Amino acid sequence: MTNPELPSRLDRLRGLMKTLSLAAILVPRGDEHLGEYVPPSAERLAWLTGFTGSAGLAVILADRAALFVDGRYTLQAGQQAPTGLYEIRHLMREPYADWLKSALPSGARVGFDPWLHSADAIASLTKTLKGAGIEAVALDRNPIDAVWTDRPAPPLAPIVPHAVAYAGVDSADKRAEIGRALIDAGAGATVLTGPDSIAWLLNVRGGDVPNAPMPLSFAVAKDDGHVELFVDGRKLSDETRRHLGNAVTASEPDKFGDALDRLAKLGKPVRLDPATTPAWIVDRLKTAGAEIAAGPDPCQRPKAIKNPVEIEGAREAHRRDGAALVRFFTWLGDAMAKKPPTEIEASDVLANLRAEQDLARGPSFDTISGAGEHGAIVHYRAVPESDKRLAPGMLYLLDSGGQYLDATTDVTRTVALGEPTPEMCRHFTLVLKGHIALGRARFPEGTTGGQLDALARAPLWEYGLDYDHGTGHGVGSYLSVHEGPQRIFKSGTAALEPGMIVSNEPGYYRSGHYGIRIENLVLVRKAELADAERPTLEFETLTLVPIDRNLIDLALLTSVERHWVDAYHANVYATLADRLGVKERDWLAEAAAPL
């Protein structure tokens, strides 16, 4: 069911385009920090199109419009965005710049908000369009904001200290480490636009965006360890200001541009990542005469490599999280025998069980609670209009996670409601085989996620099957559930290093019928091999939730794979049994019994 106001919103935007002499306008899903999670005030794409996915971009022309999404969202986009208004396009197979080039005549002007696109993205767009005589025009004001009359106010959640008991390393030590990295790179400062990097560097957390405890802000970190933080002062309590200390100067956001101008006078290059930094910032620095040293955000790698305190926090959080999931599945079994819940009812029960755990601070993302054909929508989100009641004969896909003061969790389980079909079992077991292959992998130092990705896909490939999403993403420590630079993806280029946490989540999706995904979080660690000729790494599985034995086709598993399942389940039971009541322990004993 689509919003009846969507056509009039599109008409108002087109009226403004005509006033601005624009043939097209770009409407990305994002804010000035170019991250996955954005506040309601920045949900411009959802307001205009109805599409609520975490990634996408609309291109609006005078007489047609297209919504570009990746493979995770092709089904969802077609259901949420009115097809009479928007053409649904695959972002990877048909880049929006190429589409614009073919759709517009020479001399056309394409408007964009330079705060909502990276410098690299605009450079690529400009190059593509210039060849067709089309001009990309940076706008002083976002056109959506001019027609969105009831736009929510920007968030003002308090920024609070994150105790070193959970962070593991003092902020001063982190700032000194970044300062040394800048000196080694020959840079005098770096511009930080990612709220997760700023939160990690300063040992603070916030609540400006859903599900991720990040304060929206910008910062300039210098080679001497000093940091200039640009944030609305109403977010900072006296306690937080004392926590930041004298080496961190807090200023209002409207002072950020002047600070960028001053960087040009440092006499040293300014480090930033053009792939993740808004074009507005890069243009401002260049106009001021600053020398830009392109390179990754220097906070990303040290943030991704968890310290011993964070690693132990992750282990303990997954024990609490696993106990909550066991209680949930025990409840679900009873509910299915009495009155099956709806997708939202089930999701709410799990949220309440997680909230009862020590150090719980809410979900790490909107739960994907997909019954039957809804499970085939990779990032499905149940709403009252779509809320489906679980029923025997379905597969139920539950992808959920929790934020805890000591860690962030993310786990997916697919379970059979009643008796599964042989086809369901075959597909589930192929996904399981890929999951096991990746979970058991040992690999030399320097191996990238892209080199490991095929391990999880190979069993599916053998049957002519695949899935259109990455196999694994990095996970933060009480931060974003999606973290770089590490990921397991066909094009993943970052080397996996000890201390990194990444997901292992192959899947299979039969459109209109069911979806299957099995996801554990794993920790990269050194492998202790007596005869190894080179340093070797492996994964330690953190997630502690049974895998549905009723969906496993034993004939498709090797003896090694059977042993992996039995060993995993034995560890789950041994770790969680004492944290459970009698009823939940009995359920777990059956769910974790040897194959």
Side-chain angles (χ1 to χ4, degrees), residues 20 22 25 109-115 137-143 280:
L20 296 173
L22 296 173
I25 282 180
R109 301 170 75 242
V110 177
F112 67 91
D113 184 339
W115 278 104
V137 181
L139 303 175
D140 293 331
R141 182 186 180 190
N142 190 293
W280 187 95

Side-chain angles (χ1 to χ4, degrees), residues 465-539:
L465 308 173
D466 201 357
Y467 48 94
D468 200 6
H469 60 73
T471 299
H473 56 83
V475 178
S477 182
Y478 188 41
L479 274 173
S480 176
V481 74
H482 294 148
E483 174 180 86
Q486 75 278 23
R487 62 177 185 161
I488 301 174
F489 190 70
K490 291 178 181 179
S491 59
T493 59
L496 299 178
E497 301 183 60
M500 289 180 169
I501 294 175
V502 66
S503 66
N504 171 5
E505 51 178 310
Y508 170 74
Y509 309 91
R510 189 180 176 203
S511 181
H513 293 82
Y514 53 79
I516 297 166
R517 188 160 61 250
I518 304 171
E519 177 185 16
N520 286 343
L521 296 192
V522 296
L523 170 71
V524 183
R525 68 183 183 189
K526 293 182 178 179
E528 302 298 332
L529 300 176
D531 299 325
E533 295 182 356
R534 60 182 63 189
T536 301
L537 306 178
E538 64 183 4
F539 294 122

Side-chain angles (χ1 to χ4, degrees), residues 36-95:
E36 176 181 0
Y37 295 105
V38 302
S41 58
E43 289 281 12
R44 299 177 179 91
L45 184 63
W47 178 84
L48 181 67
T49 68
F51 170 66
T52 61
S54 65
L57 178 140
V59 180
I60 312 302
L61 278 60
D63 57 354
R64 61 192 293 205
L67 175 59
F68 292 81
V69 296
D70 62 36
R72 297 171 297 171
Y73 292 118
T74 50
L75 290 175
Q76 180 178 336
Q79 293 177 352
Q80 292 183 321
T83 54
L85 298 178
Y86 296 96
E87 307 167 24
I88 308 302
R89 303 283 177 167
H90 196 291
L91 185 61
M92 306 303 177
R93 297 170 187 163
E94 186 179 11

Side-chain angles (χ1 to χ4, degrees), residues 171 174-179 181-182 190-203 219-222 227 271-273 276 295-306 310 479 483-486 500:
S171 173
K174 293 179 180 179
R175 287 185 276 109
E177 178 184 3
I178 298 305
L182 291 173
T190 183
V191 178
L192 300 177
T193 60
D196 56 334
S197 289
I198 296 169
W200 172 84
L201 181 64
L202 302 181
N203 279 353
V220 174
K222 299 181 179 179
V227 171
R271 171 76 168 268
L272 57 78
D273 186 353
T276 61
D297 175 346
C299 295
Q300 289 296 301
R301 180 175 172 270
K303 174 167 62 67
I305 299 174
K306 308 299 183 284
E310 291 173 320
L479 274 173
E483 174 180 86
Q486 75 278 23
M500 289 180 169

Side-chain angles (χ1 to χ4, degrees), residues 127-386:
K127 182 179 179 181
T128 299
L129 297 184
K130 186 176 181 180
I134 302 171
E135 181 184 5
V137 181
L139 303 175
D140 293 331
R141 182 186 180 190
N142 190 293
I144 296 291
D145 299 349
V147 296
W148 189 357
T149 55
D150 58 347
R151 182 183 172 212
L156 283 173
I159 297 176
V160 298
H162 185 53
V164 72
Y166 304 120
V169 177
D170 189 79
S171 173
D173 294 330
K174 293 179 180 179
R175 287 185 276 109
E177 178 184 3
I178 298 305
R180 290 191 296 270
L182 291 173
I183 292 172
D184 291 343
T190 183
V191 178
L192 300 177
T193 60
D196 56 334
S197 289
I198 296 169
W200 172 84
L201 181 64
L202 302 181
N203 279 353
V204 295
R205 297 295 188 267
D208 284 336
V209 298
N211 305 321
M214 298 186 296
L216 296 182
S217 55
F218 294 99
V220 174
K222 299 181 179 179
D223 59 2
D224 62 2
H226 283 71
V227 171
E228 294 181 71
L229 176 66
F230 299 91
V231 66
D232 192 313
R234 290 173 290 179
K235 298 180 183 181
L236 299 173
S237 66
D238 291 341
E239 178 192 8
T240 301
R241 291 180 185 273
R242 287 192 296 271
H243 165 79
L244 293 174
N246 296 330
V248 178
T249 303
S251 302
E252 293 297 315
D254 61 5
K255 303 297 183 184
F256 184 45
D258 294 337
L260 296 177
D261 295 341
R262 291 194 299 272
L263 290 180
K265 301 175 182 179
L266 280 179
K268 298 178 183 178
V270 178
R271 171 76 168 268
L272 57 78
D273 186 353
T276 61
T277 302
W280 187 95
I281 293 174
V282 176
D283 290 344
R284 181 78 179 235
L285 286 168
K286 288 182 176 179
T287 300
E291 179 185 352
I292 295 176
D297 175 346
C299 295
Q300 289 296 301
R301 180 175 172 270
K303 174 167 62 67
I305 299 174
K306 308 299 183 284
N307 61 58
V309 170
E310 291 173 320
I311 290 172
E312 188 50 45
R315 291 175 178 139
E316 177 55 29
H318 279 88
R319 295 171 191 132
R320 298 192 299 271
D321 207 58
L325 265 295
V326 168
R327 292 188 178 103
F328 169 80
F329 284 117
T330 303
W331 166 84
L332 181 62
D334 289 343
M336 290 301 300
K338 299 174 184 176
K339 182 183 178 181
T342 68
E343 295 165 330
I344 293 178
E345 289 170 350
S347 177
D348 288 346
V349 167
L350 176 56
N352 291 334
L353 290 170
R354 270 205 175 96
E356 295 173 359
Q357 302 300 308
D358 291 343
L359 308 183
R361 292 296 183 273
S364 57
F365 57 95
D366 292 330
T367 295
I368 299 170
S369 177
E373 68 271 19
H374 288 169
I377 303 172
V378 178
H379 277 201
Y380 171 74
R381 180 182 177 185
V383 295
E385 295 82 4
S386 70

